[in-house]
Amino acid sequence: MRTSGLGSNWTTSSASPSIPIDHLNANFTYVAFNSPASNNLNIHNKFATEHNSDLYLSYDDSSLWGGNFGIHPYVDLWWAIAGDSTVINGKNGATGYAQPGIVPTYTFKEIPSYPITVKVPTYISVGPKDYWFYKGGNGGPSGGTWGDGNVGVFNIGVDVGVPLSFIPTKYGFWHADVTCSYFDLINNALLYAGTEASGNTKRDVIVGTFQIGVGF
């Protein structure tokens, strides 16, 4: 995904209906990535609005394991409808990828007011070669290696979350989360796109976060 953050704070619009069926859930999202700089000829990183659709199918299997644990398999189907490539150097529209994954989850309830939920999200993305790089598209480094397969990225991470129950619920439902994710940029086209967008040259990337949130 590209964002410019130049001259505007609006880059994304989306619509996302969800249909739960027993333990199955289907969530369809239309999302458009818009370049705030698209009308500014002095800014080189402008891009045509990227129109995309996403179908996320998941299964809640926690009832099969007693309630505290679940594998939570899913498949995420992404389709680039039109506009520039969401991975920078891929085909512009009429292409996409599938992301099968699991989110093994266990909740420790030894302290009833502060249950600790541990998740290990894991996925791999697979798509046609033209999604990652399209020879008729945006180019690439001279002598670069392309067409190196259909696999995009592998990811595995750990997410630990706990409710902040000491805050009264009249102020909302507060929680804290710590995450650590490992990404293997398997596809050379993705590695080059990352270098082009952010300067990253490493195939193995680790990202950690700490978050405090609230819901009402």
Side-chain angles (χ1 to χ4, degrees), residues 14-21 23-31 52-59 74-79:
S14 64
S16 181
S18 180
I19 303 175
I21 305 174
H23 297 289
L24 296 172
N25 188 71
N27 188 81
F28 178 80
T29 302
Y30 163 78
V31 59
N52 307 280
S53 64
D54 181 73
L55 178 60
Y56 186 91
L57 304 171
S58 60
Y59 177 69
Y74 74 88
V75 61
D76 193 359
L77 304 174
W78 177 273
W79 186 254

Side-chain angles (χ1 to χ4, degrees), residues 134-209:
Y134 185 56
K135 291 183 179 179
N138 303 320
S142 58
T145 302
W146 304 111
D148 58 346
N150 302 102
V151 180
V153 61
F154 169 77
N155 168 260
I156 186 170
V158 177
D159 181 332
V160 180
V162 60
L164 302 180
S165 302
F166 59 88
I167 301 176
T169 56
K170 65 181 180 180
Y171 300 118
F173 298 92
W174 290 80
H175 60 90
D177 297 271
V178 177
T179 69
C180 183
S181 295
Y182 164 74
F183 297 87
D184 182 1
L185 303 178
I186 298 171
N187 198 291
N188 286 336
L190 278 183
L191 181 61
Y192 173 69
T195 303
E196 181 182 351
S198 67
N200 173 64
T201 59
K202 297 180 180 180
R203 192 176 298 276
D204 301 307
V205 179
I206 297 176
V207 178
T209 67

Side-chain angles (χ1 to χ4, degrees), residues 2 6 28 41 55 90 102 112 119 132-134 191 193 207-208:
R2 299 185 189 183
L6 298 174
F28 178 80
L41 299 180
L55 178 60
I102 56 174
K119 300 179 181 180
W132 314 111
F133 178 77
Y134 185 56
L191 181 61
V207 178

